[in-house]
Amino acid sequence: MELETLSRRIGQWVQTNREEAVELAQCLVRIESVNHPPHGNERAFQHMVAEWLRSEGAEVEVYDIRSVPGLEAHPGYMQGRDYADRPNVVGRFRGEGGGRSLMFSSHADTVHEGRKPWRFPPFSGVIENDKLYGRGAYDMKGGLAASLMAIRCLRDLGVKLKGDVIAESVVDEEYGGSNGALAARLHGPDADMAIIPEPSNLKLYPAHLGGGAWKAAFTGKNGIVFNGEQIVNALDAAVDFVRLLREFGDHLRNRYPAPELWRSSKEAEVATLKIVTGDPNREVTEMSDTGEVRFWIEGYPGMTGDGIIGELWSFYESRLDAFPILRSCRPVITPMIRYLEASALPDDERSRTFLEVAASAGERSLGKPCGEPMGAPFTCDAFMFNLYSSTPALVLGPTGGNAHAPDEYLDIDSYLSLIAWYAELTAEWCGICAMADREVKA
């Protein structure tokens, strides 16, 4: 069957099933699956996804990631998490044979709803002005729902695929986790290509930034000078370290110019997250003897966390004349989370073909070119695919806003477009061996 004919039927199906598609996204948002390191409450969400997959005829497995051989010994594993009642879920729809396989890999967990006020309850799934509000709506339950609805679309249309389609939902992606994605790579199954439905705003992201968070702890000597005592103000040291970090960001940008994929995207940056200092119960005139700076540094493929901190220390030593207090009050720098490595699709024929298929499917479903591929301006668990498995991963997800902030929302029109895009991409990549001549269900 011609792709244009299938595209028309997919578009009709999406419009006919709009209400059901929106209800699925709302349902996922309403199930709290917040990550509370070292714990998380993804269990109910995961079982709901498993039941949905079973209802569609998938071969479903719900498994404890602690049972995956070699997980904790793997170099990509991050210690310190508790995975009791936090299973991974995978569903497989077997094709007729002879085609390429495709996996959709989403994370079940969300960040905490936070302490700042929301316009709507964060787990309500309220819709206003074609926006679906709620924690995780944009990051990334909207993308997960779109992948599930795309699978249902093709099944409702009677499309028989040559290759397998796999949908998985993994735990613990937020807060530097990604052990759920690593467990899934070790457990299998593999696929010829994967899509990570992180919010890409309907852009093709064949690569993504890396990033990590660290804290620099300063210990000074407080008091009041009456007799020539040497006082070291840890807060002054912390403030100067923030200034040094700003200079270090410029240094990294000059030393590591943005690769081509990021020249039209957000470049890697160095950011101060927070300054913590002092005891609020101290006397008004008593200076602090401790200070802490929490900071975030991003990098491109090939850069490592250890390498970045090594460069920071070298830069630190070179700037001590400009920041003399940092000579007498040196920080202890420790990681707050693991460094999440940057990664990219391999530069090979398979990846190039997949990007061509994704772009052509996007143009048919969106009615316009989807734009040139670019580097994602964020970190995600795609590196577990690109660096630690035989399955490369492309990031492609919906439009929305306020990820990790109050009033997070999913743009519903983009969500519906993504369902169509996923369905068309799946059909073209996996190959069609038959399609029923049936009307779209009303």
Side-chain angles (χ1 to χ4, degrees):
M1 171 171 288
E2 293 184 357
L3 291 175
E4 289 74 13
T5 301
L6 176 60
S7 178
R8 176 178 54 79
R9 291 193 178 184
I10 288 173
Q12 291 173 345
W13 186 95
V14 170
Q15 291 306 313
T16 300
N17 292 272
R18 175 190 176 101
E19 183 176 345
E20 182 180 359
V22 172
E23 286 176 353
L24 177 60
Q26 286 179 301
C27 178
L28 297 182
V29 169
R30 287 167 179 162
I31 302 174
E32 295 185 34
S33 55
V34 177
N35 196 329
H36 299 280
H39 310 289
N41 68 338
E42 301 100 328
R43 182 178 182 276
F45 182 90
Q46 293 292 72
H47 282 283
M48 182 271 174
V49 172
E51 286 304 310
W52 193 98
L53 290 167
R54 286 192 188 98
S55 72
E56 290 297 309
E59 300 170 11
V60 178
E61 185 178 4
V62 179
Y63 62 95
D64 186 332
I65 73 170
R66 297 171 297 182
S67 68
V68 176
L71 177 63
E72 294 190 22
H74 194 282
Y77 184 79
M78 184 174 74
Q79 301 290 336
R81 296 291 222 253
D82 183 349
Y83 291 110
D85 288 328
R86 303 175 71 184
N88 274 359
V89 175
V90 60
R92 186 171 193 158
F93 298 86
R94 293 194 181 272
E96 301 297 310
R100 296 170 295 205
S101 56
L102 179 64
M103 172 182 288
F104 292 96
S105 178
S106 306
H107 64 81
D109 59 315
T110 72
V111 298
H112 190 266
E113 61 271 26
R115 296 180 177 84
K116 295 181 179 179
W118 288 58
R119 291 178 57 218
F120 309 107
F123 301 104
S124 62
V126 168
I127 295 174
E128 182 180 85
N129 296 327
D130 288 326
K131 294 181 175 66
L132 194 165
Y133 287 88
R135 175 56 79 230
Y138 185 38
D139 179 20
M140 61 179 300
K141 293 181 177 181
L144 171 55
S147 68
L148 298 181
M149 291 303 296
I151 292 169
R152 175 173 286 175
C153 170
L154 293 177
R155 290 174 61 79
D156 278 359
L157 292 176
V159 177
K160 292 188 180 298
L161 301 174
K162 296 178 180 179
D164 295 354
V165 180
I166 302 161
E168 70 175 18
S169 180
V170 302
V171 299
D172 191 32
E173 189 270 354
E174 301 289 3
Y175 304 113
S178 300
N179 288 338
L182 175 59
R185 308 288 62 75
L186 297 175
H187 179 274
D190 294 325
D192 290 311
M193 192 62 68
I195 292 175
I196 310 289
E198 290 279 6
S200 76
N201 301 307
L202 299 181
K203 297 176 183 177
L204 296 170
Y205 288 160
H208 64 93
L209 290 177
W214 291 266
K215 61 181 177 181
F218 297 85
T219 301
K221 182 179 180 182
N222 65 8
I224 299 176
V225 177
F226 284 113
N227 192 28
E229 297 95 336
Q230 287 295 112
I231 303 301
V232 178
N233 189 327
L235 178 56
D236 284 346
V239 169
D240 270 12
F241 186 75
V242 170
R243 294 169 57 200
L244 183 142
L245 282 174
R246 186 175 300 172
E247 292 188 5
F248 182 61
D250 294 335
H251 166 79
L252 285 183
R253 280 188 289 275
N254 291 330
R255 183 169 172 79
Y256 300 102
E260 184 176 354
L261 285 171
W262 280 276
R263 289 174 189 167
S264 57
S265 179
K266 182 183 85 69
E267 299 181 9
E269 64 178 10
V270 177
T272 301
L273 304 176
K274 183 181 291 188
I275 297 179
V276 181
T277 186
D279 180 349
N281 296 319
R282 289 182 183 274
E283 295 182 13
V284 173
T285 58
E286 188 175 7
M287 72 174 60
S288 174
D289 58 2
T290 61
E292 181 180 289
V293 177
R294 301 176 186 178
F295 59 99
W296 171 265
I297 301 180
E298 294 171 333
Y300 300 114
M303 299 173 69
T304 67
D306 288 343
I308 287 171
I309 294 303
E311 291 218 29
L312 174 58
W313 275 120
S314 295
F315 185 78
Y316 181 101
E317 299 294 342
S318 73
R319 297 294 292 147
L320 289 178
D321 287 346
F323 302 103
I325 194 171
L326 296 180
R327 193 186 302 276
S328 58
C329 190
R330 298 175 66 88
V332 175
I333 298 178
T334 54
M336 297 177 66
I337 62 171
R338 73 148 100 227
Y339 181 76
L340 299 157
E341 298 173 81
S343 75
L345 291 177
D347 185 16
D348 58 20
E349 186 63 29
R350 173 174 51 165
S351 296
R352 287 190 288 272
T353 300
F354 186 70
L355 283 172
E356 290 172 1
V357 170
S360 64
E363 183 168 354
R364 290 194 303 274
S365 58
L366 300 176
K368 61 180 180 180
C370 58
E372 292 296 316
M374 61 196 334
F378 51 75
T379 64
C380 66
D381 59 8
F383 73 98
M384 289 300 184
F385 284 87
N386 296 326
L387 302 181
Y388 297 122
S389 85
S390 61
T391 301
L394 170 74
V395 177
L396 174 61
T399 297
N402 299 333
H404 292 211
D407 298 325
E408 179 179 357
Y409 69 88
L410 169 70
D411 178 86
I412 292 177
D413 286 342
S414 79
Y415 166 62
L416 298 172
S417 295
L418 187 65
I419 294 171
W421 191 346
Y422 281 169
E424 296 212 30
L425 193 163
T426 300
E428 187 174 353
W429 176 254
C430 296
I432 302 171
C433 57
M435 177 171 172
D437 185 15
R438 65 177 63 161
E439 296 298 322
V440 174
K441 292 181 182 179

